Amino acid sequence: MNDEPIMANDATARLIKMYRADFGNRSELILRLFALLVAVPIFVFVAKDWTLAIWLLAYFAQQSLLFYILNPRRRNSPTMRLRHARLAYSLGAVIFHAGLVYMVTSADHIVFVAGCISVVASALYVLNRENPTKDFLWIDTAGFLVVILAILYRIWPSIPNLSSQVLLVVLTSLGLFLLVRAQHMELERQQARRHAERRYAQAQKARALNQFVGGVAHDFNNQITAIMGNLELVELLEDREERAAAMRQCRIAADRAALTVQQLVASSGRTRLSPVDTNCNSFLKDLGPVLTDLLNPEITLEILPAAAPLWAKVDRDMLETCLIQLCLNAQDAMQGKGHIEIGVKEVDTLPHGLETRPETAPPYVSIYVQDAGPGVSDETLNKLPEPFYTTKGVGAGTGLGLSAVSGFAKQSGGALVLDNALPTGLLVTLLLPRVAGE
C-alpha cells in the first residue's frame, strides 16, 4: 500500500523532466518552432509538394497534445499522465522522423540536402537537450535508425563499389553508436549528480538536526541547572533575603527557558500572529525612541522612511520584536559602538538567491537594518538563520534570534534576506506583503 505515493512521486519527477526537456527553455522552443514555420512553407513553395505542410500541421498538433499532457498545472494522476506522455511523445517521434524520411528519400536534390541538414540539426538538439530521460532515449534512437536507413536507401544506387558501400555502412553505424553513447553518458552524469545532491542534502539535514538538538539540550540544561541549583539554595538558606534572591534567579532562568520556547516556535513559523494593515513609515517613526533607549549611547541610529507611505499586512508586536532583535545583533557586531541604519522601501521583484519563494507575490515592503560592522563570510551568511547557529562567544547568545526573525517573515508571507553591505557591515532585509493601505 505504501508503494502508491512512491510511484506517484517518481512519475511526477519524470513528468517534470520530460516537460523541461521539450518545453523548459522558452527561447529555444520559440526558435525551434519558428524555424519549422519558416522552412516548411519555403520547401512547399520550391518543391510544389503539400506533403510537408500536412506533416507540419500534424507535428504541431502532437506538440500541443504533449504540452497539454505535461503541463505542470494539471492535477490528475501522474502515473496515467506519464503513460499518455510516452504515447504522445512516441507519436511525435513517428511524425517527426516520417517527415525526415520523406525529405531524405525525395528525388528533389534541394529537399534531400535540406533533409540531411535537418537530421544533423535534430541530432544536435537531442544531444544538447536538458534533462534527458530513458523515456526518450530509445524512441529517438529508433527514429534516427530509420532515417539513416532511408538515407542509405536513397544514395545506395549511386555508390560505385563494394568498398565504398562497406565504408559508408561502418561510418553510419559508428555515428549512430556515438549518438546513443553520448545520450547514455549524459544520463549517467545526471544520475551521479543526483546521487551527490542527495548525499549533500542528507549531510546538511544531519548537521542541522545535530546542531538543533545540541542547541536545545545545551540551552535548556543551562536553565534547568540554574533553577535546580537555586531551589536547593532556597532549602538550605536561612536568611529571608537570600532565599528571595535565589527565587528571583529561578524566575529569571524560567523566563529565559520560556523565551527559548517562544523563539523556537517563531523559528518554526507557528507563532500566533495578528496581522493588520500597518503604515511602515509611521511604525518606524514610533519605534525610533524605543530603540534609542535600548541601544548603547555610542550607537547612532538613522531611520530612513520611504518617500510615500508604504503599508504592509503584518503583526505589529512581532515586527517590533524582530527589529529590536536585529538592532541588538547589529550592536553586538559593532562591539557596542557604530552606526545603524533602518529604512523602508518598495520592492517589485524577488531578490536573487532566495532558497524558497515567499507565499505572497510581489510587490513587497522592504524593511532593512544595516550596520557598520565587519560583516560575515559568504559561508557564514547562509548559516546565520539556522537555529542555534551563532557567531557570538560561548554564553553570549542562543543562536535563535535570526532564526525567529526568519520564521516570522516566512509566516507573514514574506522572507528574510541577508547580504554583506558595501563597503562594510551586514544588511538584513525583511520582505513583507504590501497592501494598498488607507
Side-chain angles (χ1 to χ4, degrees):
M1 294 181 64
N2 294 331
D3 291 342
E4 281 297 319
I6 297 175
M7 291 176 62
N9 291 337
D10 181 63
T12 301
R14 295 174 76 176
L15 284 168
I16 292 173
K17 287 187 66 178
M18 292 173 75
Y19 176 84
R20 289 176 178 172
D22 261 32
F23 305 106
N25 191 329
R26 186 163 298 181
S27 59
E28 181 274 328
L29 174 65
I30 293 173
L31 179 62
R32 172 162 46 102
L33 298 181
F34 178 75
L36 289 175
L37 281 173
V38 172
V40 170
I42 293 175
F43 290 151
V44 171
F45 177 78
V46 172
K48 307 299 181 183
D49 188 344
W50 288 89
T51 305
L52 286 178
I54 298 173
W55 168 84
L56 181 65
L57 292 176
Y59 179 72
F60 268 82
Q62 177 274 336
Q63 288 286 288
S64 301
L65 175 63
L66 184 62
F67 178 80
Y68 172 75
I69 294 172
L70 295 178
N71 194 327
R73 296 181 180 179
R74 296 191 64 203
R75 301 298 180 188
N76 50 341
S77 170
T79 305
M80 185 62 68
R81 284 175 59 203
L82 183 59
R83 294 174 187 168
H84 292 166
R86 287 171 176 162
L87 291 174
Y89 188 83
S90 301
L91 175 64
V94 171
I95 293 174
F96 181 76
H97 290 102
L100 293 181
V101 168
Y102 177 80
M103 294 174 71
V104 298
T105 55
S106 174
D108 191 313
H109 294 296
I110 296 178
V111 177
F112 170 73
V113 172
C116 292
I117 294 174
S118 300
V119 172
V120 175
S122 58
L124 293 174
Y125 165 72
V126 168
L127 290 176
N128 289 280
R129 174 193 282 145
E130 296 181 5
N131 303 298
T133 68
K134 292 182 179 178
D135 302 285
F136 293 163
L137 178 60
W138 298 113
I139 297 174
D140 289 331
T141 303
F144 277 110
L145 177 60
V146 172
V147 173
I148 289 173
L149 291 175
I151 294 175
L152 291 176
Y153 172 80
R154 167 69 169 75
I155 65 175
W156 197 262
S158 59
I159 301 176
N161 50 56
L162 179 62
S163 59
S164 299
Q165 293 174 347
V166 172
L167 178 63
L168 181 62
V169 170
V170 170
L171 292 177
T172 303
S173 302
L174 179 61
L176 186 62
F177 168 77
L178 292 176
L179 176 66
V180 176
R181 179 58 184 159
Q183 293 183 83
H184 268 294
M185 290 179 64
E186 180 60 26
L187 285 172
E188 291 171 359
R189 281 194 294 267
Q190 283 199 6
Q191 187 175 11
R193 185 171 65 249
R194 284 196 297 270
H195 284 321
E197 289 173 351
R198 277 198 293 267
R199 288 196 299 269
Y200 177 76
Q202 290 171 356
Q204 289 293 92
K205 287 180 181 179
R207 184 186 66 82
L209 180 61
N210 291 336
Q211 178 179 304
F212 179 79
V213 173
V216 171
H218 176 75
D219 200 62
F220 274 98
N221 183 64
N222 289 341
Q223 309 311 328
I224 291 173
T225 300
I227 292 172
M228 293 180 65
N230 282 287
L231 287 175
E232 290 178 3
L233 285 176
V234 170
E235 294 177 354
L236 296 175
L237 294 172
E238 296 181 358
D239 185 79
R240 185 174 181 179
E241 291 185 0
E242 290 181 346
R243 294 175 66 182
M247 289 301 298
R248 283 196 297 273
Q249 292 300 319
C250 285
R251 293 192 184 95
I252 291 173
D255 289 340
R256 288 176 179 170
L259 178 61
T260 299
V261 172
Q262 292 175 2
Q263 290 178 324
L264 284 171
V265 173
S267 300
S268 67
R270 296 181 180 180
T271 307
R272 291 185 179 181
L273 300 179
S274 301
V276 295
D277 292 354
T278 302
N279 185 332
C280 293
N281 281 357
S282 300
F283 176 83
L284 290 185
K285 182 180 178 182
D286 296 337
L287 184 62
V290 177
L291 292 172
T292 302
D293 292 338
L294 284 174
L295 299 174
N296 292 343
E298 292 83 2
I299 297 291
T300 57
L301 182 68
E302 182 181 9
I303 295 180
L304 300 176
L310 292 177
W311 293 74
K313 195 171 187 65
V314 65
D315 186 304
R316 292 177 61 94
D317 293 336
M318 279 297 297
L319 178 60
E320 179 178 328
T321 302
C322 290
L323 290 177
I324 290 174
Q325 177 68 57
L326 294 178
C327 289
L328 292 176
N329 286 352
Q331 177 178 262
D332 292 340
M334 297 185 297
Q335 299 182 351
K337 56 182 179 180
H339 181 76
I340 297 178
E341 179 181 309
I342 305 177
V344 57
K345 57 185 178 181
E346 183 180 8
V347 175
D348 294 323
T349 57
L350 282 173
H352 296 290
L354 281 182
E355 293 185 0
T356 56
R357 293 178 62 87
E359 294 181 0
T360 57
Y364 303 104
V365 174
S366 166
I367 300 179
Y368 65 88
V369 177
Q370 181 175 337
D371 62 53
V376 295
S377 65
D378 292 338
E379 182 180 359
T380 302
L381 195 68
N382 296 327
K383 296 179 181 178
L384 285 179
E386 296 179 2
F388 295 104
Y389 182 86
T390 179
T391 56
K392 301 176 183 178
V394 178
T398 62
L400 286 173
L402 273 179
S403 176
V405 175
S406 177
F408 162 72
K410 292 177 181 177
Q411 191 177 355
S412 300
L416 178 70
V417 184
L418 303 176
D419 197 7
N420 281 314
L422 294 176
T424 60
L426 184 67
L427 176 63
V428 183
T429 304
L430 272 172
L431 295 181
L432 301 171
R434 184 183 175 183
V435 293
E438 298 178 357

